[in-house]
Amino acid sequence: MSSRVGAAMLDESDLALLAELQRNCRRPITQIAQCLGRPIATVRDRVKRLEEMGVIRGYSAHIDPSSIGYSLQAVIHITVEEKIINPKEFCEALGRIPEVQNVKLVPGDYEALVTGWVESIDHLRRILYEDVLKVPWVTRTNTSVVLLEKSWQIPRVRDV
């Protein structure tokens, strides 16, 4: 079985490698190769190929926001007055707000969903009134505070 990515095909070995990298990308290639039962050179070459193909777009550290003072996660639903003329500019304007984690343009009752981290309700209020509502096109917000979150890598690479 294989999955299509652009013009290239991913085989079961690629998928198994991706699953291992998602579990812990800091492990040395030697350990990953041993876990997969593959030669080190093969695994190293596959990682390089997957990076060059854009399948692997980078590596990152997952930071606990509460450990650096951000105790509340907020989801802000944004309504705009009229059609957003420049979606990229709109997203970048929201992204300049330091507390914003991500911006998603969506169809439906709201034009955008913004996720961000704040220190307190007062901090959230400041972000909404002093930052978000000043972004061009924004006319209204509806905000939720996240009580619990569980995330998975998407697409989730199945173990083979």
Side-chain angles (χ1 to χ4, degrees):
M1 176 180 142
S2 61
S3 299
R4 188 140 180 90
V5 174
M9 301 293 284
L10 298 182
D11 63 18
E12 294 299 325
S13 293
D14 291 328
L15 296 175
L17 173 57
L18 291 171
E20 287 300 316
L21 288 170
Q22 283 184 338
R23 270 192 273 290
N24 183 354
C25 66
R26 292 192 61 190
R27 284 186 303 163
I29 291 291
T30 54
Q31 288 180 8
I32 295 171
Q34 182 179 18
C35 183
L36 295 172
R38 300 276 184 202
I40 295 167
T42 300
V43 172
R44 185 179 48 248
D45 291 347
R46 281 181 182 265
V47 168
K48 184 177 179 184
R49 181 177 55 83
L50 291 167
E51 289 170 344
E52 289 170 352
M53 290 170 51
V55 174
I56 297 174
R57 295 188 293 179
Y59 303 89
S60 65
H62 296 279
I63 298 168
D64 175 8
S66 66
S67 70
I68 56 174
Y70 294 97
S71 59
L72 296 173
Q73 185 180 30
V75 177
I76 305 165
H77 306 260
I78 295 179
T79 302
V80 298
E81 183 175 316
E82 55 191 58
K83 182 179 177 186
I84 300 169
I85 297 167
N86 187 331
K88 184 177 179 183
E89 181 182 320
F90 175 69
C91 290
E92 287 173 358
L94 289 165
R96 283 191 286 276
I97 301 169
E99 294 81 359
V100 168
Q101 180 182 17
N102 65 55
V103 176
K104 296 176 176 78
L105 297 183
V106 295
D109 294 336
Y110 307 100
E111 283 72 34
L113 292 176
V114 174
T115 304
W117 287 91
V118 296
E119 299 166 352
S120 64
I121 293 297
D122 285 338
H123 185 195
L124 176 59
R125 185 180 309 112
R126 282 194 313 273
I127 300 305
L128 290 172
Y129 294 124
E130 294 176 17
D131 296 323
V132 174
L133 287 175
K134 291 181 180 174
V135 171
W137 300 292
V138 174
T139 57
R140 187 167 50 106
T141 65
N142 184 343
T143 304
S144 301
V145 173
V146 176
L147 300 176
L148 177 68
E149 177 182 32
K150 179 65 181 153
S151 299
W152 293 268
Q153 289 285 339
I154 300 295
R156 288 173 70 180
V157 179
R158 288 177 272 153
D159 292 326
V160 289

